Amino acid sequence: MTGQSEVSALAAVVNNLPTETDAPRSCPADSAGAGIWLDFRPARAGAPDFLVDASVAGCADTGVSVGGAAQPDLNGAPVGQIDRILQVDWTVTSQSSGAMAR
C-alpha cells in the first residue's frame, strides 16, 4: 500500500495511542506471533524507517521501532482501525498461532 491518504491514516492511528504505563496488569494468554506488522519506508526498495507491531492477543500492546531503535510500548492495539484503513478483516482463531486474513 502506497497511497498517501492510507499511510497518513495509519500513522495517525498509531500516533494517537497512549504510552504504556509501568503499572502491573493481568492480561489474557498471549498467542505468540499473533499480530499485525506495519513498516513505513521512504521507498519500496528502502529499509523501513518506522516499524509497528500491533499484538492482537494478550494485553494487545503496540511496539514501535524508529530507525531500528525500540521506542516505549504503546497501550492498545488498534486492529479494528487498521482493518478499516487497509480494507481487510484480520481474525485470530484458536486453531492458528497468528492473525489470519479473510
Side-chain angles (χ1 to χ4, degrees):
M1 177 205 56
T2 58
Q4 185 61 43
S5 63
E6 291 91 356
V7 171
S8 294
L10 288 170
V13 166
V14 174
N15 287 338
N16 285 322
L17 291 174
T19 304
E20 184 68 48
T21 66
D22 291 332
R25 57 190 176 146
S26 177
C27 300
D30 193 2
S31 299
I36 296 174
W37 279 85
L38 302 173
D39 66 323
F40 294 84
R41 303 167 183 258
R44 285 184 193 248
D49 284 341
F50 186 70
L51 295 171
V52 176
D53 173 20
S55 174
V56 295
C59 284
D61 295 331
T62 297
V64 176
S65 175
V66 178
Q71 303 299 306
D73 284 342
L74 302 176
N75 189 10
V79 175
Q81 291 171 291
I82 293 169
D83 284 356
R84 285 187 293 282
I85 293 165
L86 298 179
Q87 298 178 1
V88 297
D89 182 16
W90 293 94
T91 58
V92 177
T93 65
S94 60
Q95 294 83 22
S96 71
S97 62
M100 305 296 287
R102 291 194 280 170

